[in-house]
Amino acid sequence: MIRYEKISMPAASMGEVNPLADIGNIEYIHAGYETTDNISPAERERIGKGMIHTILPYTIEDNFDRVRKIREFDAAILENEYLRATFIPSLGARLWSLYDKEQKRELLYVNPVFQPANLAIRNAWFAGGVEFNVGIKGHNPLTCDPYFSRIARTADGQEVLQAYEYERIRGLVFGIEAYLPEGSRVLYIRDTVENVSGSDTYSYWWSNIAVPETPDTRVIVPTTRSFLSTYDEGHYVLDKVDIPYIDDVDVSRPTNLHRSLDFFYEIPEESDERWVAAVDGEGYGLAQFSTREMLGRKMFLWGQSAGGRNWCDFLSDGSSSYIEIQAGRAYTQLEHILMKKGERWSFTEGYTGISCDKARAHSQNWSEAIDEAAANIRKNLGRDDLDAALRDVFPTDFVSYDLLSLGSPFAYLEELERGEKLSDKFDFYKESASILSFDFEKLVRDGYLPEKMPDQYPLSYVSGKEWYERLKNSTATPNGEHWYTYYHLGVVAYQLKLVDEARAYFERSNSLCENAWSTRNLALLSLYAKDTKTAADKMTRAIALCPDCPNLYPDAMKCYLAHKQYDAAVSCFDNAPENVRARGRMQLLCAVALISLGEYDKACAYVNPEFRMDDMREGEISLSHVWEDLYCAILREKHPEMSQKELISLQKEIYPLPRHLDFRMHDEDEQGL
């Protein structure tokens, strides 16, 4: 049975969408990596393929806050006599809860709050439940956005929940179908990805499963080999290790590990044992298993360091901890898989609660723990062949659909542009059209993009060669030859890596009507070309053209700092609107400028134990560095005879970094796990 109802929780606001185009400034997608000698040449060849250089055409979601108020969410609930599964279509179709009615226990980590934080390629991400990631490393671009959802029914009354969307960077239609038949102790999820881009494209799939972290949690997986990814500032280090013991440490137990880590488990390709389980001290927990297409399994943990514990609290309300177990199409998340034009992936997952013999599940004999978890999965499934049991479980003869919710307007827009349906499996309804797509609908229907006032914020973007040609054709019409068309031409040219053309289009846009958006983009292009003076000058002009846009100010501060115009950076901060000055990111950038000017007391007014930065980025350690720089500089004035090493030691003693400001995912002074 599937029903639709409201659930409520304390929730922060996502805020207004950032109107600025991603001209190379999303640092998350530019993180590099290195591999050790334990990674074979063949494995190394797979790593790094298919990475992206911009999140365009998506907008950035970085205007969220940490003020939580009770908010209602529409939820789709599947329930039988054993399980109750709760999905939230408006939040990326997240499987929010999976409740075991027999044991009266929750199988997933259910976050008590909705709290976005800067952990994804569009910035905003939230912890909890099961997230279905498609297309690109760095979480689903639509993870905080609404999906299309509907109930599909067969003639004999069987019901399947469908939740689906269109991923615009890769050109993929994707979706999940959830099925919980009567008498089943397994929730079935069928994942589908269709390459509708018109050409070969790279793709990706990982189901990201948050489970509670207890003092005695153990993650069991049917292998003795794993890739190990460690975090350093701005990049990853990928190694390969034997498990479950590394230097006599049982790494199947997350609480044994100090730093944040990814274990990408290497289940042999020829094996049919495609599963991972997380159990508590009593042997109870969640198991995820799948058809053979899901090659990879993973454990992510925040670790027991101050930074890791702080991240866990920062993403929730501080009342509980979690780890993630994951399942994907590749062995690691530094890989993308090439999908042929028109290719469709379809694979099935099962989620179930297991109650293992605790002595066997926690045995020092790894094989015994593996056998115990595997036996429990098969007991709940009622069959020995996992792959075969999952392949024939879903009904397919649907005769009716009840639409529950609408997703973004861009799939319908794409169908309008192409003149054909994107998918024969999922329907994208005309009712999804909105203000975000209206301008581009007019471009398709009437042949030109309507002009806007230059102080109006851009609401959305398009990308790809087809849209590039339509926009160029628009400039040949009387109604389309204006600044706004050339602005969008510049954005699409940048997405297509035509940087010189993008610069020319932004300049043309400004020549027709000077505007903050093209000016800011020209500033960033100058910044990346190391022309910091031009970058700073243009950002000054961009703010003058639209002083009310809060997202212009951090870009301006970065340009001033890059050109060492510290007075200009402080002036930019002081003259910004109050709501901009209140942002921790702006205060940190101002503190950097003040430190460079030697105005340490003023810097302390911002960087102190009361400081808060809502959009701290995963892996970012700028705050700890600025803290050290500031308080070492203060101590240097008192102790000019001390070496830098002595100053750092004294700083840690007198002015230690407060725990709630420690977001370091690795200890820079400590080796090992």
Side-chain angles (χ1 to χ4, degrees):
M1 179 181 70
I2 301 176
R3 65 183 187 275
Y4 215 43
E5 63 182 46
K6 305 282 188 182
I7 63 171
S8 62
M9 71 182 90
S13 169
M14 285 289 291
E16 297 296 322
V17 171
N18 183 334
L20 306 180
D22 176 29
I23 305 297
N25 60 334
I26 292 295
E27 295 172 348
Y28 193 103
I29 63 174
H30 299 295
Y33 65 90
E34 60 181 287
T35 58
T36 71
D37 292 340
N38 292 325
I39 307 299
S40 72
E43 291 164 342
R44 197 173 291 120
E45 179 66 21
R46 301 196 306 261
I47 304 297
K49 291 189 181 301
M51 300 298 182
I52 60 175
H53 78 291
T54 175
I55 65 163
L56 288 169
Y58 295 106
T59 50
I60 302 163
E61 297 176 324
D62 62 352
N63 287 329
F64 51 80
D65 60 30
R66 297 187 63 80
V67 179
R68 296 191 285 261
K69 300 177 181 179
I70 297 297
R71 175 177 158 193
E72 285 191 335
F73 296 87
D74 291 324
I77 298 173
L78 288 70
E79 186 167 7
N80 68 7
E81 62 268 46
Y82 298 115
L83 295 171
R84 181 170 65 247
T86 302
F87 293 82
I88 306 181
S90 63
L91 295 178
R94 188 77 60 102
L95 171 55
W96 190 243
S97 165
L98 184 58
Y99 185 74
D100 185 333
K101 295 168 69 173
E102 281 189 302
Q103 296 290 329
K104 296 181 172 57
R105 297 177 67 172
E106 178 62 49
L107 289 164
L108 300 173
Y109 168 72
V110 177
N111 199 333
V113 301
F114 170 70
Q115 179 56 66
N118 186 359
L119 279 84
I121 58 175
R122 293 179 69 191
N123 191 311
W125 180 85
F126 63 101
V130 182
E131 174 191 25
F132 302 97
N133 295 291
V134 68
I136 306 152
K137 172 189 175 296
H139 298 284
N140 192 330
L142 299 161
T143 195
C144 293
D145 291 3
Y147 279 28
F148 294 88
S149 68
R150 64 187 186 182
I151 300 172
R153 289 191 177 90
T154 63
D156 61 358
Q158 296 181 85
E159 296 180 342
V160 172
L161 176 68
Q162 296 182 332
Y164 54 94
E165 252 296 352
Y166 174 59
E167 199 292 290
R168 302 167 68 200
I169 292 177
R170 303 295 199 195
L172 306 173
V173 169
F174 70 96
I176 61 164
E177 296 173 279
Y179 181 47
L180 184 59
E182 291 301 313
S184 174
R185 288 184 168 86
V186 176
L187 171 68
Y188 299 101
I189 305 282
R190 181 165 57 195
D191 308 314
T192 298
V193 184
E194 301 177 70
N195 177 8
V196 298
S197 68
S199 60
D200 296 351
T201 187
Y202 281 100
S203 192
Y204 175 103
W205 185 283
W206 282 84
S207 298
N208 178 1
I209 307 152
V211 293
E213 181 188 60
T214 66
D216 40 20
T217 293
R218 190 178 208 190
V219 174
I220 307 170
V221 64
T223 185
T224 59
R225 228 20 207 156
S226 180
F227 296 89
L228 174 63
S229 176
T230 55
Y231 293 79
D232 285 318
E233 185 176 15
H235 76 289
Y236 308 88
V237 179
L238 192 67
D239 196 6
K240 206 169 187 183
V241 295
D242 291 323
I243 60 167
Y245 296 100
I246 300 176
D247 297 331
D248 297 324
V249 175
D250 185 350
V251 297
S252 70
R253 304 180 187 279
T255 53
N256 284 348
L257 299 164
H258 179 72
R259 63 185 295 169
S260 301
L261 296 167
D262 292 317
F263 287 88
F264 294 105
Y265 301 113
E266 188 181 35
I267 299 174
E269 287 193 49
E270 64 275 10
S271 172
D272 287 325
E273 299 297 301
R274 297 283 193 263
W275 57 265
V276 61
V279 299
D280 63 17
E282 297 302 310
Y284 177 82
L286 173 75
Q288 184 273 357
F289 54 99
S290 73
T291 49
R292 297 184 82 251
E293 293 92 345
M294 298 192 85
L295 185 66
R297 293 299 186 277
K298 172 188 170 181
M299 173 175 67
F300 166 77
L301 55 104
W302 286 112
Q304 302 305 303
S305 68
R309 293 301 87 199
N310 191 35
W311 267 114
C312 240
D313 293 345
F314 191 70
L315 290 164
S316 184
D317 64 355
S319 64
S320 55
S321 298
Y322 76 96
I323 61 169
E324 294 167 0
I325 56 175
Q326 302 188 24
R329 284 293 308 252
Y331 271 132
T332 77
Q333 288 171 341
L334 294 172
E335 305 170 55
H336 295 90
I337 300 171
L338 190 65
M339 285 189 81
K340 296 294 185 182
K341 172 183 175 181
E343 184 178 356
R344 175 185 285 180
W345 291 348
S346 186
F347 41 93
T348 303
E349 308 176 60
Y351 292 80
T352 191
I354 56 174
S355 296
C356 299
D357 178 274
K358 67 179 181 180
R360 287 176 58 81
H362 289 275
S363 173
Q364 292 186 7
N365 183 329
W366 185 233
S367 295
E368 188 174 8
I370 291 171
D371 290 345
E372 178 66 12
N376 271 263
I377 292 170
R378 285 169 167 80
K379 176 183 175 183
N380 283 2
L381 185 61
R383 292 177 64 175
D384 289 336
D385 189 329
L386 302 184
D387 188 85
L390 292 172
R391 288 196 185 280
D392 59 11
V393 70
F394 267 84
T396 57
D397 52 339
F398 302 126
V399 296
S400 67
Y401 300 91
D402 287 347
L403 182 66
L404 300 177
S405 63
L406 293 170
S408 81
F410 295 106
Y412 170 71
L413 176 65
E414 195 69 20
E415 290 186 336
L416 185 68
E417 195 278 332
R418 298 186 188 194
E420 62 183 12
K421 284 174 60 66
L422 288 176
S423 171
D424 60 5
K425 183 178 180 67
F426 299 123
D427 296 310
F428 297 102
Y429 298 86
K430 181 179 180 180
E431 291 81 3
S432 64
S434 75
I435 191 172
L436 296 177
S437 61
F438 286 166
D439 288 347
F440 299 108
E441 287 184 45
K442 191 168 185 64
L443 175 62
V444 173
R445 297 183 193 278
D446 299 336
Y448 69 91
L449 192 71
E451 187 171 8
K452 300 288 186 183
M453 296 298 292
D455 59 351
Q456 285 185 268
Y457 291 8
L459 296 177
S460 62
Y461 298 97
V462 290
S463 64
K465 295 178 181 178
E466 291 79 8
W467 287 104
Y468 190 47
E469 292 303 318
R470 283 190 178 273
L471 287 164
K472 285 200 291 186
N473 291 338
S474 175
T475 64
T477 68
N479 291 324
E481 170 72 4
H482 52 72
W483 75 271
Y484 195 57
T485 305
Y486 284 103
Y487 169 69
H488 277 283
L489 267 169
V491 170
V492 180
Y494 181 82
Q495 179 267 327
L496 293 172
K497 299 185 178 180
L498 305 173
V499 177
D500 290 340
E501 287 87 337
R503 183 180 293 107
Y505 284 130
F506 294 138
E507 290 171 347
R508 175 62 173 156
S509 174
N510 266 343
S511 72
L512 292 172
C513 179
E514 190 179 17
N515 62 91
W517 325 116
S518 293
T519 305
R520 173 263 187 182
N521 292 353
L522 287 167
L524 292 187
L525 292 178
S526 296
L527 179 65
Y528 305 141
K530 310 299 184 185
D531 183 358
T532 56
K533 182 181 186 306
T534 298
D537 290 346
K538 287 191 177 298
M539 280 310 309
T540 299
R541 185 58 186 157
I543 286 177
L545 289 166
C546 193
D548 294 332
C549 179
N551 298 103
L552 288 172
Y553 289 89
D555 285 342
M557 295 287 281
K558 292 173 187 175
C559 290
Y560 295 141
L561 291 175
H563 195 53
K564 300 184 180 180
Q565 289 183 323
Y566 305 121
D567 286 324
V570 175
S571 178
C572 176
F573 178 86
D574 289 341
N575 293 319
E578 182 179 354
N579 65 320
V580 175
R581 296 197 306 275
R583 294 188 175 197
R585 177 72 59 184
M586 284 292 293
Q587 293 176 4
L588 187 70
L589 292 169
C590 184
V592 171
L594 290 167
I595 293 168
S596 298
L597 292 169
E599 298 185 30
Y600 306 133
D601 288 344
K602 290 184 179 179
C604 287
Y606 303 118
V607 181
N608 58 54
E610 303 302 315
F611 180 74
R612 186 186 76 181
M613 190 157 76
D614 294 353
D615 66 338
M616 176 62 69
R617 189 181 71 254
E618 182 183 23
E620 180 181 4
I621 56 176
S622 60
L623 176 53
S624 57
H625 281 176
V626 172
W627 183 280
E628 180 182 291
D629 290 346
L630 173 57
Y631 290 100
C632 278
I634 292 171
L635 289 171
R636 188 178 295 110
E637 290 187 327
K638 299 177 181 179
H639 305 282
E641 78 285 355
M642 282 190 173
S643 68
Q644 183 65 17
K645 184 176 181 181
E646 290 171 325
L647 285 171
I648 292 173
S649 178
L650 186 61
Q651 171 261 312
K652 289 181 177 179
E653 178 185 341
I654 299 177
Y655 302 112
L657 180 68
R659 179 191 178 280
H660 68 280
L661 298 181
D662 188 349
F663 289 90
R664 293 172 293 186
M665 296 175 68
H666 67 287
D667 191 326
E668 298 165 274
D669 300 322
E670 186 173 324
Q671 300 296 316
L673 303 176

